[in-house]
């Protein structure tokens, strides 16, 4: 099980993670938290599930995690106005930096929110903006394949997914990884909360994703867009040159490299 004493020993935040909730079984930690947005300690809650019976990924996919070997958790960050993709990007950066601090691996971000090692997925982020009783928050749900041995993945999943243990060869404390991730995330979210520019976030994201200058395909709701990534704008959107002289902005969708 998740050891709160170990978690607390690593946690250095002011707020994030200060009110941990461990659930033996829940449908989805994102859904559980979405019903509690009026909690006065919202920013401090981190809800961690041993088992999720309806773990959700992006685009309606299922997210499966292996109890005791992976991590599935959610936290909430109050937002006003439009949801900001920067919250998702900041989460990815904190994940990538934490994984590389704890394991001898080279982690890369795949826009907008997948964490890859050796081109295979080790973690994903599902950010959903919800409102309750006048409060609007981004619910940030994260799933990480921490100590999963490769043989535990179903055959079809093993082709596209891996774990930190499988790539780095070291078992990592799930409590440490979560606490260090929150330590790294809090100052980045603080930058956004103050309404300050997301410049530092964009710059770190560009480095960790290596996306600028690459030819990519993006499957968005409007169809597939193929082009060269020219830049990332201040909201965290991708500026793509699709070759017909016009630049397009992408803020969501599934991306894949073509070069
Ligand atoms: C993705 O890669 O598509 C996102 C996966 C997000 C999974 C996490 S696990 C904890 C939280 N609760 C959910 O139902 N989903 C997210």
């Amino acid at each position: 099980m998740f050891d709160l004493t170990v978690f607390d020993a690593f946690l250095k935040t002011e707020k994030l993670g200060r009110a941990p909730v461990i659930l033996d079984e829940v449908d989805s930690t994102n859904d559980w938290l979405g019903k509690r947005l009026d909690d006065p300690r919202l920013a401090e809650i981190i809800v961690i599930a041993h088992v999720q019976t309806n773990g959700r990924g992006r685009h309606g996919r299922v997210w499966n995690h292996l109890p005791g070997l992976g991590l599935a958790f959610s936290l909430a960050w109050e937002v006003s106005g439009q949801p900001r993709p920067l919250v998702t990007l900041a989460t990815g950066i904190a994940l990538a930096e934490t994984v590389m601090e704890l394991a001898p691996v080279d982690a890369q971000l795949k826009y907008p929110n997948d964490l890859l090692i050796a081109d295979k997925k080790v973690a994903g982020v599902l950010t959903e903006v919800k409102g309750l009783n006048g409060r609007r928050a981004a619910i940030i749900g994260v799933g990480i394949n921490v100590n999963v041995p490769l043989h535990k993945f179903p055959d079809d999943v093993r082709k596209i997914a891996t774990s930190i243990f499988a790539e780095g060869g070291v078992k990592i404390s799930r409590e440490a990884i979560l606490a260090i991730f929150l330590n790294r995330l809090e100052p980045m979210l603080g930058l956004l909360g103050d309404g300050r520019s997301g410049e530092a976030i964009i710059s770190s994201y560009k480095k960790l994703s290596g996306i600028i200058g690459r030819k990519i395909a993006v499957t968005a709701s409007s169809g597939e867009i193929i082009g060269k990534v020219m830049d990332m704008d201040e909201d965290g959107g991708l500026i793509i040159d699709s070759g017909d002289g016009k630049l397009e902005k992408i803020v969501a969708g599934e991306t894949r490299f073509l070069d």
Side-chain angles (χ1 to χ4, degrees), residues 23-24 26 29 48-53 55 62-73 142-146 148 153 174:
L23 301 173
D24 276 348
V26 69
T29 53
I48 305 150
H50 187 56
V51 172
Q52 278 193 133
T53 53
V62 171
W63 180 269
N64 287 317
H65 90 281
L66 287 156
L69 297 171
L71 268 175
F73 61 88
V142 183
I144 314 177
N145 301 328
V146 185
V148 188
F153 287 110
R174 294 181 312 133

Side-chain angles (χ1 to χ4, degrees), residues 28-30 52 54-58 61 63 72-74 114 121 124-126 141-143:
S28 152
T29 53
N30 268 32
Q52 278 193 133
N54 187 26
R56 295 182 291 107
R58 294 169 68 228
R61 295 195 196 111
W63 180 269
F73 61 88
S74 302
D114 288 349
K121 183 156 166 170
V125 182
L126 176 68
V142 183

Side-chain angles (χ1 to χ4, degrees), residues 94-243:
L95 275 175
E97 290 177 345
T98 303
V99 168
M100 288 193 279
E101 179 180 330
L102 295 177
V105 292
D106 194 13
Q108 196 181 32
L109 289 166
K110 175 169 169 279
Y111 189 84
N113 63 353
D114 288 349
L115 185 69
L116 310 182
I117 300 176
D119 287 332
K120 290 185 176 172
K121 183 156 166 170
V122 285
V125 182
L126 176 68
T127 308
E128 299 175 297
V129 176
K130 296 234 164 90
L132 186 72
N133 298 335
R135 209 173 195 190
R136 266 175 83 71
I139 299 170
I140 305 167
V142 183
I144 314 177
N145 301 328
V146 185
N147 292 321
V148 188
L150 276 184
H151 71 266
K152 296 256 184 194
F153 287 110
D155 287 346
D156 52 332
V157 176
R158 201 178 310 127
K159 289 184 195 136
I160 52 167
T162 188
S163 72
I164 304 168
F165 169 66
E167 300 302 321
V170 282
K171 286 221 164 132
I172 292 180
S173 150
R174 294 181 312 133
E175 293 81 1
I177 199 170
L178 182 52
I180 294 170
F181 159 74
L182 294 171
N183 295 345
R184 288 185 173 277
L185 183 61
E186 187 169 78
M188 280 192 273
L189 291 181
L191 281 178
L192 300 177
D194 291 352
R196 276 186 268 161
S197 130
E199 221 170 274
I201 291 172
I202 300 294
S203 149
S204 299
Y205 194 92
K206 282 182 186 171
K207 280 194 204 111
L208 287 163
S209 65
I211 200 167
I212 305 298
R214 299 284 303 267
K215 187 173 179 195
I216 63 165
V218 186
T219 314
S221 47
S222 52
E224 189 172 68
I225 297 166
I226 292 179
K228 185 173 169 183
V229 183
M230 305 308 287
D231 205 357
M232 184 173 269
D233 76 2
E234 58 183 23
D235 299 329
L238 287 184
I239 308 297
I240 295 183
D241 180 350
S242 47

